[in-house]
Amino acid sequence: MARVSLKKLTKSYGDVVVLDELTLEMADREFLTLLGPSGCGKTTTLNIIAGLDSATSGHVFFDSDDVTEVPPERRDVAMVFQTYALYPHMRVVDNIAFGLRMRKTPRDEIERRVREAAKAMEISHLLMRKPRELSGGQRQRVALARAIVRDPRLFLLDEPLSNLDAKLRVSMRTELKRLHAELDKTFVYVTHDQAESLIMSDRIAVLNEGKLQQLGTPEDIYNQPANAFVAGFVGSPPMNFFDGGLEGEERERCRMVGRGFTCELRPLTSKTSAEVRLGVRPEDIELSPDGEPMAQATVVVREPLGSDLYLTLELNGATFKARTRPSADFDRGDLVPFRFDPEKVHLFESASGKSLLKNIPVIA
Amino acid sequence: MIAAFKNKHAPGPDLSPPQSRKDKGDRLFALLINFPTVGLILALVAYPVLVSLWISLHRYNLRRPDVFDFVGLGNYVQILSGAQFWHSLGVTLYFTGLSVFLVIIIAMGIALLFNEKFHGRGVARSLLLIPWAVPGVVNGLMWVGLLSEHGAFNQLLGYGFDLFNRLTGADVDYLGMASPVIALNVTVAAYVWRSVPFACIIFLAALQAIPAEQYRAARVDGANAWNRFRSITLPWLLHPVMVVAIFETMNAFRAFDLIFTLTGGGPGDATNLLAWQTYKEAFARLNFGGANAYSYLITLITMGLAILYIRALYRRGAVQG
Amino acid sequence: MKSTIIKRIILYVLVLVALLYIVTPFAWIVTVSIMHEREANVGHWIPREPTGENYAMYLAPESGGAEVGLATARKFPRAIANSFIIATMVMVINLLFGSMAAYSLARIRFRGSLALMLFYLGSRSVPGVAIVIPMYLVIRNYGLLDTHLAVILAHSTFTLPFTIWILKGYFQTVPLDLERAARTDGCGRLGALFRIFLPVAAPGMIGVGIFSFIASWTEFLFALLFTSTIYSKPVTVLVSDFTQELQMPFTMIAAGGVLVVLLPIVLAFILQRFIIHGIGGAVTG
């Protein structure tokens, strides 16, 4: 049982605030990802959960126990590091057995569990080697074996796939997901790779500058971003943004006026007279629409990607990307009519980044 | 580039106040395990330094141990107004300057050589450590022998002497230590010989840290060997050169062992380095007051030099906390 | 390619020159040490009648022929023993206390760490000559003159700062994640230090240990002033006594010198890789 909850965690080094009153409740046995750019505080959070770093203020709870002052060796967590951190002077088998030996597990049980873990991670043939003789992927599996052999109540993973080559990374993602399902334990995963987080997580906590931006399922994060940061961070190619103003008296019937186009909007959650930002994902832009187009834009770049075709379009100095079928017959220099579906656009207040639109239903 | 990577793993000193009980506990732990070393240095370095200052302000000669008059800066004035000190200082500056220069040049050359791949490189590097393992006193005796009438040095120069004699009509038989100029320069040579390995090790280690890609990139860009040396190797070596310069300057300034067995300060005054003069004051003339004043003067000078060097290092931004 | 071959030849020639510079003075001493006095006086390079009699003088004094310098030669084994005791203890002190201090400076952020580092390095900026006289008085007041302890302590004061500085740099190259992994695996702070950190840092420690051993073995000034009888006199001081023995044949002096240098050289040979690795890592890191 491990429901991790963070209550108002703050971490500062002198004047520099790395974590700002972070409050987060995780569900038991879920795969939760801490997602954010470098320096957002996600690794610091993970270290605090592990007990390797201490918070300036705030508390960490495992279920109902306050573990804030408990040293790492007594928290019963296992951690997989970005650099794997295998003990270089020990063989693989000793690396894996180390944690069990520290807990004075009986010899035969250690042997059994190590063998099982090695089999699960398919490294049984590497047990007698030293870490320096292994490839990156193999070291990673050893690090994972070392973690799972201890059967802890909580798994912490700090960007474990970052140092692998692209192909290995993709296959390891699936493996980690499978591992999570089999072990049925809580996984707290840190990454800056938003695609990874969407694929693997039950829920994602998006962090920026030490503050929680949004906590939700991958679908929530992707389709209903709470602010402009989350909207722009998640999704590849990233969401297109247009600056402009609002027009209209009532909340229910507003229009966004951009440079060279106007877009109808769904009912707003709150009205503002300030500058706004319209966000549209590349796949939500209709080219050569059936209905009335909003404007026409010039094709600047064509990016064929096999199953999709991405066009970079230009309108009045602003560029944006649209996704379309590979068979679409648009060339560089062509003028293309386009339209944004009001049901699928996002609107944010420029100053605060806050989302101004009600949640849209997920398209089935 | 490497430094940036290392800083990712190594915490620097964090000067903010302790954040929690855990941090305070850490601080106590750290101070505790430094305690023995600090204690030792306080007792045997800091305390004697203060005692030394105190004594240097008094007239104190071991021949008359009950006399201990306070004379303020009297000792210092006496030393600084006598010719003895300035002569020693001059000799020491020459010795130090020449030695440091030669050590850096020779050690750099050897390091560059031994950085290349060749058969028996490991053996060569092991042999490199021989001069370093020779104690100063043995070094002195060795060079006395080398320069004796039938020593190796004069044997080697044998033919040179004949040539020289024929050219100038002189009657030189061998280069002995009787000549002040030769004595001083031989002292430099002996000192340099012993100091080269240490500097060489530092340079070698620095050279090995240069990532090979930089050279490859430079070759692709069209740089020849000299350019590569100038724009990649030299800047990289700047920090180690400064480190070696500081070390060797401070060491050369204190040279003593070598003088003891090689020249005893002579002939006459030629190799009377400051450290030797201090020793003579203290243990030949038993003038402890004056000797301590000498010590302090030396300390001031070496500290001044050290500060100059460190400031130069800081300006280059190369000193790690 | 001709230019490459020429380059290789030049390289080997230069290496040879460098090696000659490094080795010749000492090599000559070695050859002289196995010559008879009469040969050395003539200036031979290679002994035509090599002899071990010079060494015999030190190792089995009664058997040797020459009476000159006999007294000094007899003290030799004892002096070597003294040097060995002192150097070993200095090495132990450096490894124990030096590594502890270096670890705290490398791994723990605490207020005062910078001041400590400056304190250590600053203590080294006081030249030996300045320190030795008052230190002499302090040692004398404690009745520690002519003991091993006095020399050990004195040597420790000037080797420790360097050891700490080198080890601090070296320790910082050990990845932090290793100790973190050990702690989540169940070690306490001390456990992580002994089981994980020290084994990984071993090469640097060895290099520093050797360095402090050799530094102590070859030290002269403090040893000279703090010891008077053969009870505690290390071999560097004994060798300097040779300068007083004007009648001592140079061949014998040479043999003595070789013996004194032998031990550190053998050690340095065997462990040169560790020395370069350990010291170099700290300077560039």
Side-chain angles (χ1 to χ4, degrees):
Chain A
M1 290 259 116
R3 279 184 41 240
V4 180
S5 42
L6 310 173
K7 296 234 196 307
K8 290 187 145 206
L9 272 187
T10 306
K11 176 79 182 170
S12 52
Y13 295 108
D15 289 333
V16 181
V17 177
V18 180
L19 285 181
D20 195 357
E21 299 214 343
L22 182 67
T23 303
L24 196 54
E25 289 241 359
M26 306 185 197
D28 190 25
R29 298 186 233 247
E30 78 168 325
F31 193 118
L32 181 102
T33 299
L34 300 173
L35 174 70
S38 316
C40 68
K42 52 193 197 293
T43 300
T44 309
T45 307
L46 203 71
N47 282 333
I48 293 179
I49 299 178
L52 295 168
D53 254 344
S54 54
T56 313
S57 68
H59 293 266
V60 180
F61 287 88
F62 289 177
D63 295 319
S64 45
D65 303 318
D66 184 346
V67 297
T68 318
E69 298 291 323
V70 176
E73 55 267 21
R74 290 199 276 135
R75 290 199 192 192
D76 195 25
V77 296
M79 192 147 165
V80 180
F81 296 86
Q82 188 179 359
T83 57
Y84 318 132
L86 300 182
Y87 309 125
H89 57 295
M90 298 187 198
R91 297 167 305 178
V92 167
V93 62
D94 298 312
N95 261 278
I96 302 178
F98 187 73
L100 297 176
R101 292 215 184 103
M102 287 301 109
R103 285 172 167 74
K104 314 263 198 312
T105 322
R107 265 258 306 256
D108 39 341
E109 193 181 326
I110 295 185
E111 264 189 54
R112 180 178 56 84
R113 283 163 73 162
V114 169
R115 244 182 300 125
E116 282 174 10
K119 214 166 84 149
M121 297 309 305
E122 290 172 15
I123 47 168
S124 305
H125 58 294
L126 299 173
L127 284 177
M128 288 300 141
R129 304 242 189 113
K130 286 251 179 90
R132 61 169 172 271
E133 304 167 40
L134 304 176
S135 71
Q138 290 169 330
R139 289 185 201 170
Q140 224 246 15
R141 289 169 177 277
V142 175
L144 284 167
R146 186 172 65 178
I148 65 182
V149 82
R150 282 183 36 215
D151 196 27
R153 60 173 160 181
L154 185 60
F155 282 89
L156 305 173
L157 301 100
D158 188 358
E159 303 201 47
L161 307 183
S162 305
N163 292 347
L164 300 175
D165 63 66
K167 206 155 158 252
L168 204 50
R169 216 180 299 165
V170 171
S171 65
M172 280 309 294
R173 284 182 198 160
T174 325
E175 265 227 47
L176 281 177
K177 221 55 209 124
R178 180 184 63 86
L179 210 56
H180 174 246
E182 278 182 22
L183 292 172
D184 200 23
K185 293 274 171 73
T186 310
F187 270 42
V188 182
Y189 191 89
V190 162
T191 183
H192 62 274
D193 184 339
Q194 48 90 30
E196 204 165 87
S197 65
L198 291 175
I199 292 172
M200 300 176 69
S201 326
D202 291 332
R203 282 198 305 167
I204 304 178
V206 183
L207 292 161
N208 189 31
E209 291 180 353
K211 296 202 194 41
L212 179 64
Q213 305 292 318
Q214 186 173 0
L215 174 64
T217 64
E219 291 79 18
D220 290 341
I221 303 284
Y222 190 79
N223 292 315
Q224 306 166 42
N227 60 32
F229 174 79
V230 176
F233 191 79
V234 178
S236 181
M239 182 182 287
N240 300 298
F241 285 108
F242 304 90
D243 290 319
L246 271 184
E247 223 180 52
E249 290 307 320
E250 298 148 24
R251 265 197 312 117
E252 283 77 24
R253 267 195 298 276
C254 278
R255 286 192 304 278
M256 184 269 179
V257 183
R259 295 238 305 266
F261 69 93
T262 309
C263 185
E264 300 284 332
L265 299 169
R266 330 189 274 288
L268 299 179
T269 49
S270 55
K271 188 123 174 356
T272 174
S273 52
E275 297 273 302
V276 292
R277 266 198 164 168
L278 185 77
V280 195
R281 294 211 185 269
E283 63 264 25
D284 293 331
I285 303 180
E286 295 173 33
L287 300 177
S288 288
D290 301 323
E292 180 76 24
M294 281 166 47
Q296 292 197 342
T298 324
V299 177
V300 182
V301 186
R302 270 177 67 101
E303 289 172 286
L305 219 60
S307 54
D308 297 309
L309 171 66
Y310 285 95
L311 296 173
T312 307
L313 299 159
E314 193 251 326
L315 172 68
N316 284 353
T319 55
F320 59 99
K321 266 204 184 146
R323 188 182 76 178
T324 182
R325 301 167 328 277
S327 53
D329 192 16
F330 300 119
D331 278 322
R332 278 197 61 183
D334 285 353
L335 265 180
V336 181
F338 68 90
R339 178 180 174 268
F340 302 152
D341 186 346
E343 294 300 310
K344 304 225 196 106
V345 299
H346 305 261
L347 192 73
F348 307 98
E349 197 178 22
S350 292
S352 67
K354 213 174 55 147
S355 172
L356 298 170
L357 284 174
K358 250 188 28 196
N359 292 334
I360 51 176
V362 175
I363 309 296
Chain B
M1 190 178 79
I2 293 182
F5 178 79
K6 284 211 185 106
N7 280 331
K8 188 173 173 216
H9 289 293
D14 171 24
L15 303 179
S16 58
Q19 301 288 354
S20 65
R21 256 194 14 243
K22 184 160 173 287
D23 279 350
K24 288 202 183 78
D26 281 351
R27 177 156 189 250
L28 195 60
F29 177 71
L31 288 176
L32 224 75
I33 63 182
N34 273 288
F35 184 68
T37 312
V38 171
L40 183 67
I41 295 185
L42 275 178
L44 280 183
V45 177
Y47 176 63
V49 165
L50 293 172
V51 168
S52 173
L53 182 61
W54 180 241
I55 296 183
S56 74
L57 299 175
H58 291 72
R59 196 154 59 116
Y60 182 47
N61 193 310
L62 276 193
R63 283 201 206 108
R64 276 173 292 171
D66 4 291
V67 177
F68 195 69
D69 304 330
F70 182 79
V71 292
L73 295 174
N75 284 321
Y76 292 94
V77 169
Q78 195 179 31
I79 293 173
L80 288 173
S81 52
Q84 187 75 289
F85 170 79
W86 296 104
H87 172 79
S88 280
L89 182 64
V91 172
T92 310
L93 284 174
Y94 174 81
F95 174 81
T96 305
L98 187 56
S99 298
V100 173
F101 176 73
L102 286 177
V103 166
I104 291 183
I105 299 279
I106 296 180
M108 175 87 76
I110 297 185
L112 287 169
L113 266 182
F114 283 16
N115 197 35
E116 303 286 328
K117 290 202 190 33
F118 55 88
H119 289 309
R121 181 169 75 162
V123 175
R125 286 186 182 175
S126 308
L127 289 176
L128 180 63
L129 294 172
I130 289 183
W132 181 45
V134 176
V137 282
V138 176
N139 194 20
L141 289 173
M142 195 169 75
W143 287 80
V144 165
L146 279 172
L147 266 94
S148 64
E149 199 169 334
H150 298 285
F153 200 64
N154 289 307
Q155 293 287 319
L156 284 175
L157 288 183
Y159 305 112
F161 289 138
D162 290 337
L163 190 59
F164 184 68
N165 288 336
R166 242 178 282 155
L167 283 178
T168 60
D171 189 23
V172 181
D173 220 10
Y174 71 99
L175 281 181
M177 299 290 282
S179 147
V181 170
I182 293 184
L184 185 55
N185 286 301
V186 168
T187 311
V188 169
Y191 183 81
V192 165
W193 182 79
R194 182 169 185 245
S195 304
V196 158
F198 183 72
C200 209
I201 288 182
I202 293 188
F203 290 152
L204 257 181
L207 283 173
Q208 286 181 326
I210 304 181
E213 282 108 40
Q214 291 209 7
Y215 288 116
R216 279 188 224 135
R219 290 180 84 163
V220 166
D221 278 345
N224 62 25
W226 173 245
N227 284 339
R228 293 201 300 271
F229 178 72
R230 225 167 44 119
S231 19
I232 299 177
T233 318
L234 271 188
W236 198 273
L237 285 178
L238 212 51
H239 181 206
V241 163
M242 290 244 79
V243 169
V244 167
I246 292 187
F247 244 77
E248 286 307 325
T249 305
M250 315 245 289
N251 276 343
F253 226 84
R254 305 180 244 193
F256 177 78
D257 306 6
L258 190 58
I259 310 293
F260 197 91
T261 47
L262 187 60
T263 61
D269 241 355
T271 58
N272 189 9
L273 295 190
L274 275 175
W276 183 254
Q277 179 61 28
T278 312
Y279 171 73
K280 272 197 338 196
E281 275 308 310
F283 293 98
R285 296 225 203 108
L286 296 179
N287 177 11
F288 268 57
N292 276 301
Y294 254 103
S295 305
Y296 252 84
L297 285 171
I298 300 180
T299 308
L300 283 173
I301 298 178
T302 45
M303 284 219 185
L305 286 172
I307 292 178
L308 279 175
Y309 272 120
I310 292 184
R311 278 172 83 210
L313 257 186
Y314 261 110
R315 237 178 276 133
R316 295 227 172 252
V319 174
Q320 316 267 17
Chain C
M1 294 202 293
K2 245 171 67 177
S3 70
T4 328
I5 296 183
I6 295 183
K7 279 197 199 138
R8 295 298 287 181
I9 293 181
I10 296 181
L11 178 69
Y12 277 99
V13 164
L14 287 177
V15 166
L16 205 59
V17 168
L19 283 178
L20 279 177
Y21 170 74
I22 293 171
V23 167
T24 311
F26 188 68
W28 183 71
I29 293 291
V30 172
T31 53
V32 165
S33 70
I34 50 176
M35 282 188 208
H36 288 290
E37 195 179 344
R38 52 180 183 274
E39 271 208 71
N41 282 339
V42 176
H44 284 169
W45 272 95
I46 302 175
R48 306 228 177 102
E49 303 162 29
T51 168
E53 74 178 12
N54 294 308
Y55 288 98
M57 283 297 299
Y58 292 103
L59 305 174
E62 280 69 27
S63 65
E67 289 112 33
V68 183
L70 187 60
T72 315
R74 264 209 212 103
K75 302 184 191 158
F76 214 75
R78 172 70 200 212
I80 295 252
N82 288 333
S83 282
F84 196 79
I85 295 173
I86 293 172
T88 308
M89 284 311 297
V90 171
M91 178 175 77
V92 165
I93 289 180
N94 266 274
L95 285 179
L96 198 56
F97 296 117
S99 63
M100 291 195 322
Y103 183 77
S104 73
L105 288 170
R107 279 290 189 250
I108 305 178
R109 301 181 190 210
F110 62 100
R111 212 162 25 156
S113 61
L114 195 60
L116 254 183
M117 199 65 229
L118 288 175
F119 175 70
Y120 290 145
L121 286 178
S123 74
R124 275 292 277 150
S125 68
V126 182
V129 161
I131 270 296
V132 78
I133 297 170
M135 217 195 264
Y136 173 82
L137 293 171
V138 169
I139 300 253
R140 192 178 67 155
N141 286 342
Y142 279 95
L144 284 177
L145 278 181
D146 207 30
T147 60
H148 297 116
L149 183 61
V151 185
I152 292 173
L153 290 177
H155 286 183
S156 300
T157 59
F158 67 78
T159 46
L160 274 171
F162 189 68
T163 299
I164 294 176
W165 182 52
I166 295 281
L167 280 183
K168 172 176 177 275
Y170 185 77
F171 285 173
Q172 283 176 323
T173 68
V174 176
L176 204 56
D177 280 347
L178 284 181
E179 286 148 85
R180 288 204 178 126
R183 295 198 68 197
T184 43
D185 267 347
C187 294
R189 251 226 141 90
L190 237 51
L193 175 67
F194 283 112
R195 283 177 208 268
I196 302 296
F197 184 82
L198 282 181
V200 174
M205 303 267 288
I206 294 179
V208 155
I210 296 301
F211 177 81
S212 47
F213 184 92
I214 294 186
S216 170
W217 181 279
T218 56
E219 203 277 330
F220 176 66
L221 180 63
F222 290 89
L224 173 71
L225 295 179
F226 295 169
T227 64
S228 44
T229 71
I230 194 56
Y231 171 74
S232 65
K233 217 187 256 202
V235 82
T236 41
V237 181
L238 192 66
V239 162
S240 74
D241 288 346
F242 291 172
T243 51
Q244 325 300 29
E245 306 256 10
L246 296 168
Q247 301 296 328
M248 201 166 184
F250 188 70
T251 50
M252 240 183 86
I253 297 181
V258 171
L259 281 177
V260 170
V261 182
L262 214 54
L263 190 61
I265 278 194
V266 166
L267 269 172
F269 245 77
I270 299 175
L271 295 150
Q272 55 99 9
R273 193 161 54 93
F274 288 118
I275 299 178
I276 297 188
H277 186 359
I279 293 186
V283 175
T284 55

